[in-house]
Amino acid sequence: MTRLKDIKLLTFPVVEDNRGNLAFIEGSTLPYTFKRVYYLYDVPSSSERGGHSHNEQHETLIALSGSFEVILNDGYEQKSYFLNKPNVGLHIVPGIWRELKNFSSGAICLVLSSGIFDEGDYIRDFMLFKKSKF
C-alpha cells in the first residue's frame, strides 16, 4: 500500500559558475525512467490543477520558475509541499492523490512522468480514490 512516507524530494545536480546555474536530470537521477514530459504555465493564482491519482504512473514535479503548493493525500493523511526551486523535484508514487494550487505569477510546473498519457491510469473522483484505500 502506498503511503505519504513513499514521497521523496529529489535534489538534482547543479553546475554553478559566473554565467549562471545548470541543473540536469539524467540516468539514475530519477528512481524511474520517464516517458513523457509536460508542463503547466500561465495558471491563474486562484486556479487548482491535479485533482487525481494514478494507478501506475510515477511523476516528478519541478517548479522551473515561480512557486506553487502541492497537497498530497494517501487516503489516510495529507501533507503539503511548497515547490520553488528548479533543482528540486517532488517524486509522487502511484496511489497518491495530488492537488496543485497557489501558483505564483509566472510559475512553471514541469512534470516528468513514467508513462504516456492513459486515461485509464487516472482516478479522478476523490471518494472513489478513498474507497480504493480501504
Side-chain angles (χ1 to χ4, degrees), residues 26 40 88 127:
E26 64 183 11
L40 307 170
V88 174
M127 294 314 291

Side-chain angles (χ1 to χ4, degrees), residues 14-66:
V14 175
V15 177
E16 298 178 7
D17 72 22
N18 59 356
R19 300 171 296 163
N21 298 336
L22 182 147
F24 59 93
I25 300 168
E26 64 183 11
S28 62
T29 308
L30 297 177
Y32 61 92
T33 301
F34 64 92
K35 295 182 180 173
R36 180 169 61 123
V37 176
Y38 64 94
Y39 48 95
L40 307 170
Y41 66 100
D42 289 342
V43 179
S45 61
S46 60
S47 290
E48 294 185 11
R49 299 295 310 229
H52 64 270
S53 174
H54 287 286
N55 293 311
E56 302 290 331
Q57 287 188 37
H58 290 251
E59 290 187 334
T60 298
L61 282 58
I62 305 166
L64 283 185
S65 180

